[in-house]
Amino acid sequence: MAEPASAKVRVDKWLWAARFFKTRSLAKAAIEGGKINADGQRIKPSRELEVGMMLTIRQGWDDKTVEVLALSDKRRGAPEAQLLYRETEDSIVLREQRAAERKAGLGSFIVSDHRPNKKERRQIHRFQRNMNMDESS
């Protein structure tokens, strides 16, 4: 299943083999879109993974923080794919908490009747930047 520790595997191949994405091109698009971080840094699809790296993966509403346990560039069944990584306890708790909030309707969004103008867009970006800083603290 897993390759020897000396083997090198690209991030996009590993994400596909670990069944986070259905195709390598979807994995590549997610990486290029900034949805995948390795050890807190943006990465390129060709980046080679190492055992022990921490990946942050944003899929839809959820952010998952996983530790790479094994390397593989072959896509196999889901039970084998789950042996390639381990999701952190904090990530599981946070994901379940956010899912419960969404289910309760606490995360509902305000729908606007117009596109944001330049001033509103700056306010949105400032708010998002502040939210990201608060989460990293």
Side-chain angles (χ1 to χ4, degrees), residues 97-109:
Q97 179 184 3
R98 287 186 177 167
E101 288 175 359
R102 281 195 307 272
K103 190 173 183 181
L106 299 176
S108 61
F109 296 98

Side-chain angles (χ1 to χ4, degrees), residues 123-136:
Q123 290 173 335
I124 291 169
H125 291 303
R126 191 175 306 120
F127 175 76
Q128 289 175 335
R129 194 170 43 248
N130 290 339
M131 290 300 293
N132 288 337
M133 286 182 185
D134 290 343
E135 288 178 359
S136 65

Side-chain angles (χ1 to χ4, degrees), residues 6-47:
S6 62
K8 296 179 180 179
V9 179
R10 292 169 50 115
V11 175
D12 58 345
K13 265 191 174 181
W14 186 86
L15 288 168
W16 168 76
R19 295 185 161 263
F20 284 105
F21 297 96
K22 286 187 176 186
T23 64
R24 279 187 58 197
S25 60
L26 287 175
K28 181 182 176 198
I31 294 167
E32 290 172 345
K35 306 262 189 266
I36 312 293
N37 292 327
D39 296 326
Q41 302 290 322
R42 278 187 75 154
I43 55 174
K44 293 182 179 181
S46 61
R47 169 92 183 257

Side-chain angles (χ1 to χ4, degrees), residues 28-129:
K28 181 182 176 198
I31 294 167
E32 290 172 345
K35 306 262 189 266
I36 312 293
N37 292 327
D39 296 326
Q41 302 290 322
R42 278 187 75 154
I43 55 174
K44 293 182 179 181
S46 61
R47 169 92 183 257
E48 293 177 349
L49 275 182
E50 300 169 4
V51 173
M53 286 181 84
M54 298 298 285
L55 296 179
T56 305
I57 304 166
R58 178 175 296 145
Q59 287 183 304
W61 300 100
D62 297 326
D63 286 343
K64 296 178 184 174
T65 304
V66 298
E67 179 184 2
V68 178
L69 298 178
L71 301 177
S72 177
D73 62 352
K74 294 182 178 33
R75 188 171 171 101
R76 297 216 167 91
E80 290 182 47
Q82 289 175 346
L83 299 175
L84 299 177
Y85 64 92
R86 180 184 62 83
E87 188 173 3
T88 62
E89 295 298 323
D90 293 340
S91 174
I92 294 170
V93 169
L94 187 61
R95 201 163 39 86
E96 290 173 350
Q97 179 184 3
R98 287 186 177 167
E101 288 175 359
R102 281 195 307 272
K103 190 173 183 181
L106 299 176
S108 61
F109 296 98
I110 298 171
V111 178
S112 177
D113 59 342
H114 69 282
R115 291 176 52 184
N117 60 29
K118 192 171 187 175
K119 180 180 178 184
E120 292 168 336
R121 215 170 25 254
R122 286 180 179 157
Q123 290 173 335
I124 291 169
H125 291 303
R126 191 175 306 120
F127 175 76
Q128 289 175 335
R129 194 170 43 248

